[in-house]
Structures are given as C-alpha cells and as structure tokens.
Amino acid sequence: MLNKTSTIINRIQAVDNFLNLAYFCANWEEFIQELEEWGVYSIAKIDFDDKELNVDLLDQFINQEG
C-alpha cells in the first residue's frame, strides 16, 4: 500500500492540470497555495495539511517538475 506522500505524487503525475501547475511552482507550499485559490484543499482525498505527508519529498518532487 502506498503512503500518503506517494499517493499524492502519483495523482499529480496522472492529472495533467496538476502536473502543469507543478511545472510552474517552486515548491509544495506554492503548489498548494495555487490549488487553494481554485478551491482545492486535498488530492486523492488527502488534505494538504495532513501530518503524515513528507513535505521535504513533496518539495523535491515539485522542484524537479519545474
């Protein structure tokens, strides 16, 4: 079973709109701020403020996409 961080990364890779946004964002915080402006507060039913998320890994992922 995938952990929550991997689930979010996989969903971002699977959804073109998420992937396109990730390309233009510098880090996880910027990515979720942009999504929250659209009224999106979770991905794959995982809230952005979930304590189990590995923010460092998400930062690395977003940074690599850009």
Side-chain angles (χ1 to χ4, degrees):
M1 179 180 218
L2 295 175
N3 67 36
K4 291 179 179 183
T5 302
S6 295
T7 300
I8 285 181
I9 289 172
N10 289 340
R11 182 61 59 96
I12 292 169
Q13 291 174 324
V15 177
D16 288 338
N17 286 339
F18 288 158
L19 197 55
N20 291 338
L21 180 60
Y23 179 79
F24 290 103
C25 292
N27 56 39
W28 175 245
E29 183 177 347
E30 185 178 339
F31 180 79
I32 62 172
Q33 285 174 345
E34 292 293 328
L35 286 176
E36 287 174 349
E37 288 181 15
W38 299 350
V40 177
Y41 299 97
S42 65
I43 293 178
K45 298 182 181 179
I46 302 168
D47 292 335
F48 296 143
D49 62 354
D50 191 302
K51 301 291 184 211
E52 294 179 32
L53 292 177
N54 182 334
V55 175
D56 291 335
L57 186 59
L58 290 164
D59 277 339
Q60 288 176 352
F61 171 74
I62 297 296
N63 195 351
Q64 289 174 345
E65 292 304 312

